[in-house]
Amino acid sequence: MLFRLRREVYLDNNATTRVSKPVRQKINQVLKTCHGNPSSLYQVARNSAEILAEARRQVAQTINAQDHEIFFTGSATEANNAVLKAIAQLNYPHQTKIVATPIEHSSVISTLDFLATQGVQVDYCPVDAHGRVQLASLETCLDEHTSLLCCMLANNEVGTIQDIPALARLARRHQILFMADCVQALGKMPIDVKALGVDYASFSAHKIHGPKGVGALYIKSGSPFLPLIHGGHQEFGQRAGTEGLHNIAGFATACSQVPNLLQQAHRVRELKHYLIQAFQRLKPDCLIHSPTDDYCLPNTVSVTFPNINNAMLMAMLDYHGIAVSAGSACNTQDDTPSHVLKALGLSEQQARETLRFSCSGDTSITDIKYVIKTLADYFSGAEKIPIHLVTPAQLNENLLFAENIYILDVRFPHERKLAKGLPRSHEASFVAIRKYVKQIPPNKNILVVCEMGYNSSVVAYYLKSKRFKNVSFLLTGLMGWRWYYPELYRRYGGQNVTVLTP
Ligand code: PLP
């Protein structure tokens, strides 16, 4: 009976975490009492400078760095950009090669894509089915042209932990600099940058119950660097811009809680194993991509449920108050199958059948049992699927122009620039969908459409929860339909589209 009650279960902690109470209190206190600019000279500014120095000390201490080796940034994305661009620039045109793993976060991969257009050679070393770098094959990628080796400590999608000390030793032997993205590892495993042997490491506050919009870059004393952002003298002249003191102080408070997070890691790992065993019981053909040994984050499970579309499953779980992610999705605006899963050897179809569950110290066994029960009902058919799926083939001319169909287009503005909408469709915002609900006719058959079929399924379930009777979504989205019916798209695309206003 307990499980009939709807719960809120947040299992997307690798995307971001809930801000903890001590962090909230610290941020509020700094906002309230510390308005001085840390760069100014009078007392109120000196108070702010003191808070900044204390925060730097706290972050440094958490990862066993020295204070002057910590540089606050606006995000870990910025930190990763800064290192890659600095090294590329410093070494051009002599050592133009950067070697990375193919499972890095998009803040690394996209930066490398950009650098490749500027003449930098980028090589990706092979990884095994869990994403582990093979030392022997990595060594063959390194040569006298290589300036930097880049490998994350723990992967955000599958949780695989790399042997960074061994990789850093290899880099040192070849006189190559080493950068490790430590964003996902912080708070889930002890981090000692000296023991890791890295030159650069990036961190993000919002993965450890801190605020969003603040990161930190560790630069080993003496390792080369060039600022990404120019302006004032902040951050020892390496990152200009008045510091977001409240965020930095919140980050430091979150770091002070890291020992507590690490204490919870054992219990979190037990929850993870409970979840994996339940998946294997419910769906014996499921594929678990996260290693089950200690070389994996304690909180992360990546799982493929064959023949079950992850968009559908994610939307169903969302309907029941459970937040998980499909693919890399830190980002609702990226519908493409995950590059990480593809690097692990999954087909595009398997990547579209894969979900990531990421727990935290806030997750309880009751939460996990609720998730398992919800999945069990869905897999066994006990849960009647409340929404319908329309395949691209089914959306023929008859259905497109059927009297009682109401097409709701929830693509993002940039996607609308790339392709025209379906005829007679109504454009609404995905993120602000609740503001449009009153305008959607309750008696029509609502067909929700997005770019690739992910966001539309979430909206379809949302509308169902708002008591709309007939709701469906277009599988594979407008892209899939356009590919299937190019002639219909040419003839009718963009006709009689209505832009709804919230
Ligand atoms: N690196 C990894 C491994 C991540 O998981 C993320 C965020 O998801 C980032 C970098 C980017 O962090 P931020 O959100 O601070 O830019």
Side-chain angles (χ1 to χ4, degrees):
M1 198 58 198
L2 170 70
F3 295 123
R4 289 190 192 284
L5 297 174
R6 194 175 186 280
R7 296 175 70 87
E8 294 293 325
V9 179
Y10 183 72
L11 293 186
D12 201 15
N13 287 280
N14 285 9
T16 196
T17 53
R18 198 191 305 268
V19 176
S20 72
K21 192 169 171 195
V23 169
R24 263 193 337 260
Q25 286 170 336
K26 183 69 185 180
I27 290 174
N28 286 339
Q29 183 230 327
V30 171
L31 283 172
K32 197 166 163 188
T33 60
C34 308
H35 64 277
N37 185 326
S39 301
S40 301
L41 296 176
Y42 35 81
Q43 183 58 51
V44 65
R46 291 202 300 276
N47 291 346
S48 297
E50 205 178 323
I51 288 184
L52 184 60
E54 270 169 25
R56 201 180 306 281
R57 193 165 313 132
Q58 175 64 66
V59 174
Q61 193 188 320
T62 306
I63 58 168
N64 192 28
Q66 298 176 55
D67 299 6
H68 65 270
E69 294 174 313
I70 299 297
F71 301 84
F72 289 111
T73 60
S75 61
T77 295
E78 183 195 318
N80 288 342
N81 265 260
V83 174
L84 295 170
K85 289 175 180 168
I87 300 307
Q89 207 175 332
L90 281 165
N91 291 287
Y92 196 81
H94 304 294
Q95 282 184 300
T96 55
K97 184 163 149 185
I98 295 180
V99 175
T101 82
I103 62 165
E104 296 300 304
H105 185 259
S106 55
S107 55
V108 169
I109 300 279
S110 302
T111 307
L112 292 177
D113 286 348
F114 164 74
L115 290 173
T117 67
Q118 307 295 301
V120 172
Q121 186 190 341
V122 178
D123 270 17
Y124 291 105
C125 62
V127 292
D128 70 12
H130 288 303
R132 280 197 194 112
V133 174
Q134 306 298 295
L135 263 181
S137 46
L138 168 65
E139 192 153 17
T140 63
C141 300
L142 307 178
D143 58 25
E144 74 275 17
H145 302 297
T146 312
S147 54
L148 180 76
L149 174 57
C150 173
C151 177
M152 65 206 320
L153 175 51
N155 179 265
N156 46 311
E157 286 189 49
V158 288
T160 304
I161 294 171
Q162 307 285 354
D163 187 354
I164 295 296
L167 296 177
R169 270 197 305 276
L170 182 68
R172 253 196 322 278
R173 231 181 24 247
H174 289 262
Q175 295 183 319
I176 292 169
L177 294 163
F178 191 93
M179 158 175 150
D181 174 335
C182 296
V183 168
Q184 289 294 341
L186 187 61
K188 298 175 190 135
M189 60 187 280
I191 296 185
D192 175 335
V193 285
K194 303 291 174 213
L196 290 175
V198 300
D199 292 284
Y200 311 96
S202 51
F203 302 90
S204 182
H206 73 100
K207 309 289 184 180
I208 55 163
H209 305 278
K212 292 161 187 56
V214 56
L217 172 60
Y218 159 78
I219 305 178
K220 188 172 115 188
S221 201
S223 295
F225 186 69
L226 279 181
L228 179 68
I229 297 177
H230 300 269
H233 297 115
Q234 293 89 354
E235 296 301 298
F236 316 120
Q238 300 302 317
R239 199 277 185 180
T242 305
E243 302 85 350
L245 194 64
H246 58 294
N247 264 353
I248 290 173
F251 187 4
T253 303
C255 282
S256 73
Q257 307 289 308
V258 161
N260 300 347
L261 297 182
L262 295 179
Q263 262 180 15
Q264 293 166 354
H266 180 68
R267 188 186 66 83
V268 172
R269 196 180 285 280
E270 282 178 354
L271 295 178
K272 165 180 157 171
H273 287 298
Y274 193 90
L275 204 51
I276 291 176
Q277 281 161 12
F279 291 158
Q280 289 169 331
R281 212 174 39 247
L282 294 175
K283 279 264 162 215
D285 60 346
C286 75
L287 304 171
I288 306 290
H289 309 298
S290 308
T292 45
D293 58 18
D294 286 348
Y295 284 89
C296 186
L297 292 177
N299 73 324
T300 309
V301 185
S302 169
V303 55
T304 301
F305 295 113
N307 304 316
I308 300 177
N309 178 274
N310 57 5
M312 186 75 179
L313 204 50
M314 191 182 76
M316 185 281 294
L317 291 169
D318 184 36
Y319 179 71
H320 288 280
I322 300 164
V324 300
S325 92
S328 57
C330 291
N331 180 350
T332 51
Q333 304 197 24
D334 184 3
D335 268 345
T336 52
S338 143
H339 67 277
V340 173
L341 298 177
K342 284 208 259 172
L344 264 50
L346 271 71
S347 66
E348 198 149 302
Q349 155 118 6
Q350 286 174 316
R352 290 192 185 284
E353 295 167 347
T354 302
L355 285 180
R356 177 187 71 187
F357 297 75
S358 50
C359 310
S360 78
D362 295 340
T363 313
S364 69
I365 183 70
T366 316
D367 291 337
I368 296 294
K369 285 182 175 169
Y370 173 69
V371 173
I372 293 167
K373 173 82 169 76
T374 307
L375 282 172
D377 286 350
Y378 181 79
F379 291 149
S380 70
E383 142 113 16
K384 246 179 84 54
I385 303 169
I387 60 172
H388 311 287
L389 253 116
V390 171
T391 64
Q394 285 169 329
L395 189 55
N396 55 20
E397 210 162 344
N398 285 344
L399 188 55
L400 264 183
F401 291 97
E403 181 63 23
N404 59 349
I405 193 171
Y406 181 92
I407 301 175
L408 185 67
D409 179 338
V410 294
R411 284 177 302 152
F412 289 99
H414 68 274
E415 293 168 341
R416 292 198 174 116
K417 287 198 184 119
L418 299 176
K420 294 178 205 155
L422 290 172
R424 300 167 66 230
S425 57
H426 301 77
E427 293 184 350
S429 155
F430 167 73
V431 282
I433 192 66
R434 62 189 176 82
K435 293 189 183 158
Y436 294 81
V437 166
K438 284 206 178 101
Q439 299 177 62
I440 303 170
N443 300 324
K444 293 242 175 177
N445 291 334
I446 317 292
L447 173 63
V448 192
V449 178
C450 67
E451 180 87 340
M452 306 279 274
Y454 278 80
N455 295 346
S456 55
S457 58
V458 174
V459 170
Y461 265 101
Y462 173 73
L463 293 179
K464 196 68 200 176
S465 75
K466 295 288 160 205
R467 308 205 184 288
F468 282 81
K469 275 206 204 69
N470 289 309
V471 188
S472 48
F473 76 97
L474 179 62
L475 203 69
T476 71
L478 190 78
M479 285 298 129
W481 180 81
R482 186 180 161 182
W483 180 82
Y484 197 88
Y485 283 126
E487 192 45 46
L488 288 185
Y489 176 76
R490 250 194 309 277
R491 206 172 326 147
Y492 299 120
Q495 274 184 15
N496 299 324
V497 169
T498 308
V499 180
L500 300 178
T501 41

